[in-house]
Amino acid sequence: MDREAPTFHGQPSGAAGFLDETGLKTNMTKTTGWSPCGQRFVDHAPFGHWRSQTFIAALRHDRLDAPWVSDGAMNAEMFELYIKTQLVPTLRAGDVVILDNLSSHKSPACCGCTA
């Protein structure tokens, strides 16, 4: 008996991509610690600077598409740049991109990029 391939509202399951971002702040690195009595505690902070960085990517059922790391928090301008330079080249006709409700995702320019 042949099994039918899974679909997403009539599209193949591989056509759906969940787009999300996460951030990290390097100033959240612990700057104190414990060492044996009489010895100085020495350690290193990552990157050597105190900034925030954002990682964004599209998660599909079989792969991670268009991963991108940028300095600073995500805003509409940065998101538009990501869409145009990273995400759109990986899309095929009929692909569905699912976003959360971050305000930078709602700019008119972003909606026009993927239409």
Side-chain angles (χ1 to χ4, degrees):
M1 183 161 137
D2 291 331
R3 284 189 54 184
E4 204 172 300
T7 62
F8 179 79
H9 295 284
Q11 298 290 332
S13 62
F18 297 89
L19 190 69
D20 203 9
E21 64 281 324
T22 188
L24 68 99
K25 294 177 71 80
T26 58
N27 67 348
M28 299 294 284
T29 302
K30 189 171 172 64
T31 57
T32 60
W34 295 93
S35 64
C37 188
Q39 293 182 12
R40 178 176 285 223
F41 175 76
V42 178
D43 203 3
H44 302 282
F47 308 118
H49 61 265
W50 306 117
R51 294 187 187 158
S52 61
Q53 294 182 320
T54 301
F55 173 76
I56 185 169
L59 179 64
R60 295 181 179 261
H61 81 287
D62 61 345
R63 67 186 180 278
L64 191 66
D65 263 355
W68 196 47
V69 177
S70 65
D71 279 338
M74 184 61 66
N75 57 28
E77 181 182 341
M78 191 70 72
F79 187 67
E80 289 171 24
L81 181 65
Y82 168 76
I83 292 291
K84 291 176 184 175
T85 63
Q86 306 297 315
L87 183 64
V88 169
T90 68
L91 297 176
R92 295 183 306 262
D95 280 355
V96 177
V97 179
I98 301 168
L99 308 170
D100 57 10
N101 62 351
L102 186 66
S103 62
S104 61
H105 295 172
K106 299 175 184 177
S107 76
C110 289
C111 295
C113 287
T114 56

